[in-house]
Amino acid sequence: MRIVDVKNVQSDVAKFRKSHVTLSDSIIKKTSDIIRSVEEFGDRALLRYTKEFEGVKLKTLRVSEDEIRTAYEIVTSSQLRSIHTMRKRLMKFESNLLDHLSGIESRFDRIKVTRLLRPIENVGCYVPGGKARYPSTLLMCCTPANVARVKRLVVITPPQRDGSIDPLTLVAADICKVHEVYKIGGAQGIAALAFGTKSIRKVDKIVGPGGIFVTAAKNMVSDRVAIDMVAGPTELLVFADSKSHSRLVALDLISQSEHSSDTLCGVVTTSKRMAMRVKEEINMLIRSKEGVLRRDIITQSLNENGFIAICKGESAAIDFINEFAPEHLEIMTVNAESVVKKIRSAGLILVGNYTPSAASDYCLGSNHVLPTLGFARSRAALSVLDFLKIISCIELTGKNLKKIESCVREITTAEGLFNHYKAVEGRFLK
C-alpha cells in the first residue's frame, strides 16, 4: 500500500480515484460495442458473449424450475436459516422506512395534496458473479423491491463454468419471489434488460452493483431505462487515529479487497506511526503461516489501489473523507461519535471497533448496494425508495382555485405563457 502525505485534499483525492477505476476510452468503446450488438442481435449476441466471457456454451438463458428445485437439495439448512435471517432484518429495515412515508398529506388554504406511493412495475436486478458468489446481493436488491411490491422482478447473473447458477443464489431468488432468473452478466446483461430480447422482456429500471463494464453499461443505457446509481467496484475508507486498533484496520482492508483486484481500500489518519503499523499488519497477515484465502486478489488489489493518506489534523482528515465520498466509511477513532456529525458524504458510516464493513455486508439490516466513484456525494444506499414512484394527487374546488388565480396570472404573464392563465380564468367566465 502507498503511504502519502496529503498536501491538497482535492488534488490528492483526485489522484487516488484516477489511479483506481476510471471509465477509460477503451472501456467505453468496448462497452458501447457490446450494447449495440445486443440491441441488434438480441439473444444471439447474449449467447455469444456468454461463451466468450464466461467460457460457457448455453442453449437457453432462463433458469428452469427444475434448477431451482435442485438448488434446494444442495444448500444446507444452516445456509437456508441465514438467508431467512438476513431477509427478515432487511424486511424490517425497509418496512419501517415505508411506514413513515405512507399516508403523507399536506394542507394549506384548504388545498390538500396527497402523496401516493406506487411501485415501479418491472425491475431488473444485477447480481455479480465471476470470482465470487453473491446471494447476499440478491437479497439486498430484491428484498426492498418486495417491500415496495414490484410486480415483475427479474434477476440476471453470470453462470458458473458448468453453466449453472450458484444454488444459494437461486434459493435466495425463490425466497424473494423473483419471477425470472437469467444466466447472463456483464454489459451484455445490462443491455438485455434495457432493450429487451426475444427471451428477456425489457424492464423499467435496473439496480445492483457490478464491475467497471457493468457500471459503464448502466451509464450508457440510462437514457433508455432508469438506473439506481453507480455501484461498484467496492470501496472502503477507514478513519484511524493514533489509538486505533491497527490489526482490526488491516483485517477490514483485507476483507473488502478480496472482492476483486479493482477494489479500492484506503486509510485516512493523522498519525504516521499508525500508518506504518497498519501497513506492517497487512504484510504480516498476508505472509503469515496461516496466510489468507484469495491472497492473489487481495495482494493485487492493495498493491495497485490501496493507500494510506496522512493528514495534518482531524479537520483535514474529515475534509479528505467528505471529498473522497467513500462507499463504506469506518470511523475507528477515539471520538468517533463527534466525527460522525461532521461527515456529509459517505454511502454507509460504520462506527467503532465492532462495526466492520464485513458485517454490514450481510446481517445488520442495512443495504450493501451503495454508491461508489464519489457518487456518495449525491445519494446513499439502495432502499425501498428506489422501487417506488411518489405521485402527488390534488383535487381543487372552484373556491380553492379562485384563491390562487391572481398568483397564476402574475407568474404566467411574467413567463409569457398566457394560455396557462386562460385555462384558469376560463373556469370563472360566464
Side-chain angles (χ1 to χ4, degrees), residues 257-368:
S257 64
E258 76 170 333
H259 277 288
S260 64
S261 59
D262 55 9
T263 296
L264 177 57
C265 291
V267 179
V268 57
T269 184
T270 54
S271 168
K272 290 186 178 181
R273 186 180 176 191
M274 176 55 60
M276 295 305 301
R277 283 167 53 193
V278 169
K279 187 170 183 177
E280 289 168 4
E281 289 283 4
I282 289 172
N283 290 335
M284 283 192 291
L285 286 166
I286 291 175
R287 296 170 185 170
S288 66
K289 187 176 181 180
E290 296 81 12
V292 294
L293 300 174
R294 299 170 68 81
R295 185 199 306 264
D296 291 345
I297 296 172
I298 292 165
T299 301
Q300 184 180 354
S301 174
L302 292 177
N303 285 344
E304 293 182 1
N305 308 312
F307 67 88
I308 303 175
I310 303 174
C311 296
K312 290 182 178 180
E314 183 182 283
S315 179
I318 290 170
D319 286 344
F320 183 95
I321 292 166
N322 285 322
E323 179 66 23
F324 196 89
E327 177 189 22
H328 302 87
L329 171 64
E330 290 187 11
I331 303 176
M332 300 175 72
T333 58
V334 172
N335 60 337
E337 291 184 5
S338 67
V339 171
V340 169
K341 296 175 183 177
K342 301 171 186 175
I343 302 302
R344 301 186 306 275
S345 298
L348 176 67
I349 302 173
L350 303 152
V351 184
N353 288 343
Y354 295 95
T355 321
S357 55
S360 72
D361 281 346
Y362 298 100
C363 295
L364 302 186
S366 58
N367 204 300
H368 77 209

Side-chain angles (χ1 to χ4, degrees), residues 134-398:
Y134 293 100
S136 60
T137 298
L138 188 144
L139 288 174
M140 298 289 169
C141 290
C142 296
T143 303
N146 293 154
V147 173
R149 297 186 179 180
V150 169
K151 290 184 178 179
R152 173 176 171 252
L153 192 53
V154 180
V155 164
I156 63 170
T157 188
Q160 300 178 100
R161 285 288 180 178
D162 62 357
S164 68
I165 299 297
D166 167 57
L168 194 57
T169 301
L170 286 184
V171 168
D174 189 59
I175 290 170
C176 288
K177 301 178 176 61
V178 173
H179 301 91
E180 304 157 35
V181 181
Y182 295 96
K183 303 174 183 180
I184 186 70
Q188 62 272 21
I190 298 298
L193 292 175
F195 302 117
T197 70
K198 185 176 180 180
S199 297
I200 305 174
R201 184 158 52 94
K202 72 184 295 290
V203 299
D204 300 316
K205 188 170 187 177
I206 301 172
V207 305
I212 194 64
F213 285 101
V214 169
T215 295
K218 285 171 71 176
N219 275 336
M220 289 182 189
V221 302
S222 61
D223 62 337
R224 298 285 292 271
V225 62
I227 64 169
D228 53 350
M229 67 184 92
V230 175
T234 294
E235 299 171 358
L236 169 66
L237 185 63
V238 181
F239 184 18
D241 60 17
S242 60
K243 296 183 179 179
S244 297
H245 197 307
S246 57
R247 172 61 65 99
L248 297 183
V249 174
L251 286 170
D252 290 351
L253 293 169
I254 288 172
S255 75
Q256 288 300 317
S257 64
E258 76 170 333
H259 277 288
S260 64
S261 59
D262 55 9
T263 296
L264 177 57
C265 291
V267 179
V268 57
T269 184
T270 54
S271 168
K272 290 186 178 181
R273 186 180 176 191
M274 176 55 60
M276 295 305 301
R277 283 167 53 193
V278 169
K279 187 170 183 177
E280 289 168 4
E281 289 283 4
I282 289 172
N283 290 335
M284 283 192 291
L285 286 166
I286 291 175
R287 296 170 185 170
S288 66
K289 187 176 181 180
E290 296 81 12
V292 294
L293 300 174
R294 299 170 68 81
R295 185 199 306 264
D296 291 345
I297 296 172
I298 292 165
T299 301
Q300 184 180 354
S301 174
L302 292 177
N303 285 344
E304 293 182 1
N305 308 312
F307 67 88
I308 303 175
I310 303 174
C311 296
K312 290 182 178 180
E314 183 182 283
S315 179
I318 290 170
D319 286 344
F320 183 95
I321 292 166
N322 285 322
E323 179 66 23
F324 196 89
E327 177 189 22
H328 302 87
L329 171 64
E330 290 187 11
I331 303 176
M332 300 175 72
T333 58
V334 172
N335 60 337
E337 291 184 5
S338 67
V339 171
V340 169
K341 296 175 183 177
K342 301 171 186 175
I343 302 302
R344 301 186 306 275
S345 298
L348 176 67
I349 302 173
L350 303 152
V351 184
N353 288 343
Y354 295 95
T355 321
S357 55
S360 72
D361 281 346
Y362 298 100
C363 295
L364 302 186
S366 58
N367 204 300
H368 77 209
V369 179
L370 298 158
T372 60
L373 300 182
F375 281 88
R377 280 190 286 271
S378 59
R379 69 155 296 156
L382 191 76
S383 75
V384 68
L385 294 175
D386 287 285
F387 302 92
L388 291 169
K389 298 169 288 186
I390 302 178
I391 304 170
S392 295
C393 180
I394 308 170
E395 182 180 358
L396 299 180
T397 63

